[in-house]
Amino acid sequence: MALPLLPGNNFNRNMGKEKFHKSQHWGFCNNVRMLVGEDKPGIGGELLFGQKIKPKYSVFPKGMGTDSPSWVAFDKQVLSFDAYLEDEVPDKSQENYRIRRYKIYFYLEDDTVEVNEPVLQNSGLPQGIFIRRHRISLPPPNEDQFYTVHHFNVNTDIVFYGRTFKVYDCDAFTKNFLTKIGVKLNPPGQCPEDPYMKTRREKLDCMEPICPYESFDTLKQFLEYDRKVLRFFCVWDDSGSVFGDRRELILHYFLSDDTIEIKEVLPHNSGRDAMSLFLQRRKLPKYGPPGVYQPGQLTDQTVLNVYGGYSETRVYGFLLDKYQLGKLDQEFYKDTDLSIGTTINVWGRKVLLCDCDDFTKTYYRTKYGIENFTSIPCKAPSPPKIERKFPPYTGFGSEEDSLRSCIGLMPTPHQRNFKKFIEFDSYGNISNTLRFFAKLITHKCADVERMFVISYFLSDDTISVFEPIERNSGYTGGMFLKRVRVKKPGQEVFKSEFSEYIKAEELYVGAKVNVNGYLFFLVNADEYTLNYMERNSDKFPLSSIELVIQKLKEEECKSRELKQVFTAADCMHTKMVDFNTFREIMMNLTVGKLTDQEVITIARRYRVPEDPCPHRNVLVAQAHEQLKKNAFENFERLIAMCVYEDREKKKVLPSKDIKRLCKSSRLPLNEDLLGSLLSGDVKMSGLECHHLFL
């Protein structure tokens, strides 16, 4: 029963609808009105009554995955079908048609199709790409549509541009894909054989010679293994022969042509001539030396001696021996015969393979699955070292020069320690020379009071002794010993070993030094020497304050007595004593356990610091002296510049400004003196400047 067409009795079918556009169904073609949009939808994109629009592209069933576009989801996924085509051959009696095989590729990302014909050798036909990749339209009357994935199946005919391709099979991926999208696959068929190719193959079989040509193709092996070489480290033990020994070798196996090359590793001073190769690159026979063969015995092919008779129309030819009678087979070493621990025959020499490189291990591990590459020690045990003995010193020249004449036929000069010379040579204010004041230890009363200066040069370990000139002493003074290395006493003169010389570590205050029979007692040292010894306390342990304090701690029982003695020595209660008193107290309490050098080390560490800054009046006097010597008179200009810089009229300027003004006026004062006058952040008033300059 129908409801009356009244308000409230019908349903609003446009509820929630947002699109109300209309499609253009009518248009003009050659100025004639006609229907041009049969497949266009109705209002708002809805299909008209009874209208079915076919999709332009393949529509796949929606799964549980993401809704990715086809060009992303099916990228690099191609369906492959095997098909054939019966091609008619007119005007030829040998054949009426040909069977041509094709590969049909359907690209899922954009529904494009490509047809390719595999190349057949000696076919005489242009083969390769038959139809380039693009979308192919269906045959009439559906030429407005294109092929999709649902048009393909096995044992079906597909028409491309009027040519009928018969699909008889597909690959595994194609079968799996079509099955998943719901396509029922037909059973695969068979491709018929081409009658012309069958006839041609039968003719070629009949024409096959009884003795075919034997080809030896090594190009594939060369292209695959070119520049790939196996390397083995081996040894040849020839110690059994006269003057023989163990000789280290390196074996190279070239995979490109199965040849072997051997090089010998010669140690230094082996006495053998350096040869480029121990064995030239060639194939190495397993059972060598096999002997001498006649020319033609070792060949890859055997040729029969065929005589065709004597005639003018004689044809010269050769016939290969099918059974290869009398052919000599010679076995050569291959890569399978080489392994660590194997002994190979190198033309009668037994060579043991001991080790190989990383590339060789990777090759055998990949190709043959070998994992054990335990190396064998191939180096021969080192012979016992024979101690070289030299003849004793002859007495001519120095010991080093005498030794150089025994080392070689052509004596060469002794090489000095140039690095040490450069490191400790004197430069600038650094002398690298240790100077000590010494006295002679002698029974002669006239020589007891003589003073000497012993200089030790660190660059070459030489010593010089100088005696200062003293008037009315009875001695001329001057150079007592020229600069030379001094030997320690009590050594044999004519011996094979080098003599021992006095070193810098043996010199310290309080030491006794024997210089060529003269016994010196070192009583003091200069400031540079003491500073150097304290900086290098690892070489001079007597100048190490830590070691000296450690030695004093052993006398802890005398600490109270030591305090009482020092208190008694300080009568004025200044908490200071002079060095001589300090030395006497330390020597008496330690009972000779401390040397003079150690006492000096303690005194230098705990001495009263001197005033580093001299009095200002002294500095001003030195400045006046330099100004007078250089006749500097431009004081008025300098004072005017100082007054100009004093903008605030405070009559006080910073020291850096005064220093800048002095330099700009070219005041003849050195940098140290000017810096001492203006040291720190002291501000100088105008009165002080005037007093300084005038």
Side-chain angles (χ1 to χ4, degrees):
M1 178 178 180
L3 296 175
L5 190 57
L6 295 174
N9 292 335
N10 58 352
F11 299 97
N12 187 4
R13 301 183 182 275
N14 295 328
M15 183 72 66
K17 189 174 181 180
E18 296 180 355
K19 296 182 180 180
F20 298 94
H21 65 277
K22 295 182 180 180
S23 302
Q24 183 70 25
H25 292 272
W26 297 90
F28 289 89
C29 183
N30 296 330
N31 295 327
V32 178
R33 296 181 179 182
M34 60 176 54
L35 184 64
V36 295
E38 296 180 357
D39 297 335
K40 293 184 179 181
I43 298 175
E46 295 183 356
L47 298 179
L48 300 176
F49 181 75
Q51 185 182 21
K52 294 182 179 180
I53 298 179
K54 298 181 179 180
K56 295 183 179 180
Y57 292 92
S58 299
V59 178
F60 302 98
K62 295 184 179 180
M64 300 301 294
T66 59
D67 296 336
S68 302
S70 60
W71 53 272
V72 175
F74 301 109
D75 184 29
K76 297 181 181 180
Q77 295 188 15
V78 184
L79 304 184
S80 176
F81 297 91
D82 297 327
Y84 68 91
L85 176 66
E86 293 184 2
D87 193 6
E88 295 183 0
V89 182
D91 302 333
K92 194 172 183 180
S93 60
Q94 289 86 357
E95 54 180 343
N96 296 327
Y97 65 93
R98 284 183 181 176
I99 302 297
R100 302 180 66 174
R101 302 189 179 190
Y102 294 91
K103 283 281 189 180
I104 300 176
Y105 299 106
F106 182 84
Y107 295 85
L108 296 171
E109 55 182 318
D110 54 359
D111 290 352
T112 54
V113 180
E114 178 184 347
V115 181
N116 187 11
E117 182 179 7
V119 178
L120 185 63
Q121 189 177 5
N122 297 328
S123 65
L125 299 174
Q127 296 172 334
I129 299 296
F130 188 72
I131 300 177
R132 63 178 178 82
R133 178 181 173 182
H134 67 288
R135 297 189 68 191
I136 301 178
S137 60
L138 296 174
N142 299 321
E143 61 272 9
D144 57 336
Q145 303 178 23
F146 297 93
Y147 277 100
T148 62
V149 68
H150 299 284
H151 292 97
F152 291 88
N153 204 334
V154 181
N155 269 341
T156 57
D157 296 342
I158 297 180
V159 180
F160 293 151
Y161 299 111
R163 290 179 176 268
T164 304
F165 294 87
K166 298 182 178 180
V167 180
Y168 64 90
D169 202 357
C170 62
D171 60 358
F173 173 76
T174 305
K175 293 179 181 179
N176 188 22
F177 184 82
L178 294 177
T179 304
K180 286 183 178 180
I181 65 174
V183 178
K184 184 178 180 180
L185 289 176
N186 300 326
Q190 294 291 335
C191 179
E193 188 177 6
D194 187 10
Y196 175 74
M197 296 303 296
K198 180 179 179 181
T199 305
R200 183 179 175 183
R201 185 170 59 255
E202 292 176 354
K203 288 183 179 180
L204 291 176
D205 294 341
C206 296
M207 295 173 60
E208 184 178 358
I210 300 177
C211 298
Y213 175 73
E214 298 179 6
S215 62
F216 299 94
D217 185 15
T218 58
L219 180 61
K220 179 180 178 181
Q221 181 182 0
F222 174 78
L223 295 178
E224 185 177 0
Y225 295 107
D226 185 27
R227 297 187 180 184
K228 294 183 179 180
V229 183
L230 306 180
R231 182 170 63 168
F232 290 89
F233 304 97
C234 43
V235 63
W236 171 39
D237 191 0
D238 190 32
S239 57
S241 60
V242 182
F243 305 111
D245 56 355
R246 292 170 62 92
R247 303 170 69 173
E248 299 180 16
L249 308 174
I250 297 179
L251 185 144
H252 293 156
Y253 183 87
F254 297 87
L255 296 172
S256 59
D257 54 358
D258 299 328
T259 55
I260 291 178
E261 173 187 88
I262 300 178
K263 294 183 178 181
E264 183 177 5
V265 181
L266 293 177
H268 295 290
N269 301 326
S270 62
R272 299 184 181 274
D273 295 334
M275 302 296 294
S276 58
L277 292 174
F278 185 81
L279 176 67
Q280 290 185 351
R281 180 177 175 180
R282 62 180 64 185
K283 288 189 175 182
L284 183 62
K286 291 184 178 180
Y287 310 102
V292 180
Y293 295 102
Q294 296 297 327
Q297 282 186 290
L298 297 176
T299 57
D300 296 332
Q301 299 173 347
T302 305
V303 182
L304 294 178
N305 186 9
V306 180
Y307 179 69
Y310 180 77
S311 63
E312 296 181 357
T313 60
R314 179 180 178 182
V315 178
Y316 294 92
F318 301 96
L319 183 63
L320 298 179
D321 187 4
K322 180 179 181 180
Y323 300 101
Q324 298 181 353
L325 297 176
K327 181 181 178 181
L328 297 177
D329 293 330
Q330 193 173 12
E331 297 184 15
F332 298 96
Y333 279 105
K334 301 290 184 181
D335 56 347
T336 55
D337 302 323
L338 304 178
S339 61
I340 297 177
T342 304
T343 302
I344 63 174
N345 180 17
V346 182
W347 298 99
R349 297 167 178 83
K350 303 299 181 181
V351 177
L352 175 64
L353 306 183
C354 301
D355 200 358
C356 59
D357 59 358
D358 295 336
F359 172 77
T360 307
K361 295 178 182 178
T362 305
Y363 174 80
Y364 279 98
R365 187 183 296 109
T366 304
K367 188 172 183 180
Y368 300 107
I370 300 177
E371 295 293 341
N372 186 13
F373 297 100
T374 305
S375 60
I376 301 175
C378 60
K379 290 189 177 182
S382 57
K385 292 184 178 181
I386 301 176
E387 184 180 359
R388 191 174 183 180
K389 296 183 179 180
F390 297 100
Y393 174 53
T394 58
F396 296 97
S398 63
E399 296 180 351
E400 291 79 6
D401 294 337
S402 179
L403 178 63
R404 299 301 298 180
S405 63
C406 300
I407 293 177
L409 297 177
M410 299 295 293
T412 56
H414 172 65
Q415 298 293 333
R416 298 172 58 187
N417 191 348
F418 188 72
K419 181 179 179 181
K420 181 180 179 181
F421 176 78
I422 293 297
E423 184 179 358
F424 294 100
D425 190 23
S426 60
Y427 62 93
N429 296 328
I430 302 176
S431 63
N432 283 321
T433 304
L434 306 182
R435 292 181 176 87
F436 297 89
F437 299 98
K439 287 186 177 182
L440 272 175
I441 300 177
T442 179
H443 299 289
K444 297 181 180 180
C445 298
D447 296 337
V448 171
E449 299 299 329
R450 296 175 64 181
M451 292 294 298
F452 297 89
V453 178
I454 299 178
S455 301
Y456 187 91
F457 300 89
L458 298 173
S459 59
D460 54 358
D461 300 331
T462 56
I463 294 178
S464 68
V465 181
F466 181 81
E467 183 180 6
I469 299 175
E470 186 177 356
R471 297 180 63 181
N472 300 325
S473 63
Y475 295 97
T476 59
M479 185 61 67
F480 185 82
L481 176 67
K482 67 177 183 179
R483 183 175 176 179
V484 68
R485 289 197 301 171
V486 179
K487 297 181 180 180
K488 294 181 179 180
Q491 300 184 74
E492 185 181 354
V493 178
F494 303 102
K495 61 181 183 302
S496 301
E497 297 80 11
F498 285 122
S499 299
E500 296 183 3
Y501 296 89
I502 296 177
K503 299 181 180 180
E505 292 80 2
E506 301 174 6
L507 302 179
Y508 56 89
V509 178
K512 297 180 181 180
V513 183
N514 191 331
V515 180
N516 296 339
Y518 291 90
L519 192 61
F520 290 92
F521 179 75
L522 305 184
V523 296
N524 204 351
D526 61 357
E527 185 69 18
Y528 175 81
T529 303
L530 296 176
N531 290 333
Y532 181 84
M533 296 172 73
E534 290 174 359
R535 288 196 307 267
N536 301 273
S537 58
D538 54 337
K539 297 181 180 179
F540 302 93
L542 298 180
S543 297
S544 176
I545 187 64
E546 292 82 6
L547 298 179
V548 177
I549 296 300
Q550 186 68 25
K551 186 179 293 187
L552 287 177
K553 288 182 179 180
E554 298 177 359
E555 303 291 334
E556 188 177 0
C557 58
K558 299 181 181 180
S559 60
R560 179 175 299 180
E561 181 182 357
L562 182 64
K563 186 176 180 180
Q564 294 176 357
V565 172
F566 275 112
T567 304
D570 186 15
C571 301
M572 305 298 294
H573 302 285
T574 59
K575 297 183 179 181
M576 294 183 297
V577 294
D578 58 350
F579 175 73
N580 294 329
T581 306
F582 175 78
R583 177 183 177 278
E584 183 179 357
I585 293 174
M586 295 299 296
M587 286 296 185
N588 293 334
L589 291 179
T590 56
V591 194
K593 291 186 178 181
L594 293 180
T595 61
D596 291 340
Q597 181 70 40
E598 293 174 327
V599 174
I600 292 175
T601 302
I602 300 174
R604 286 172 56 84
R605 179 61 179 268
Y606 299 103
R607 64 183 174 181
V608 178
E610 299 178 357
D611 187 10
C613 299
H615 196 267
R616 181 174 293 275
N617 296 331
V618 178
L619 297 177
V620 171
Q622 294 178 1
H624 285 175
E625 184 179 358
Q626 291 190 13
L627 292 175
K628 290 179 181 179
K629 287 183 179 179
N630 293 277
F632 183 79
E633 298 179 354
N634 198 6
F635 296 107
E636 295 180 358
R637 181 174 176 272
L638 180 58
I639 295 174
M641 293 174 61
C642 293
V643 173
Y644 177 77
E645 289 291 334
D646 189 11
R647 305 291 178 84
E648 299 179 358
K649 305 300 180 180
K650 294 182 177 180
K651 297 183 180 182
V652 175
L653 289 177
S655 59
K656 61 178 182 179
D657 293 343
I658 296 179
K659 188 174 183 180
R660 176 175 54 81
L661 295 175
C662 292
K663 288 186 176 181
S664 63
S665 300
R666 297 183 179 180
L667 196 68
L669 297 179
N670 56 33
E671 189 75 18
D672 296 337
L673 181 57
L674 186 60
S676 299
L677 287 171
L678 306 175
S679 60
D681 297 332
V682 179
K683 296 183 179 180
M684 186 173 291
S685 63
L687 181 61
E688 291 179 337
C689 292
H690 187 270
H691 175 69
L692 173 63
F693 298 141
L694 299 179

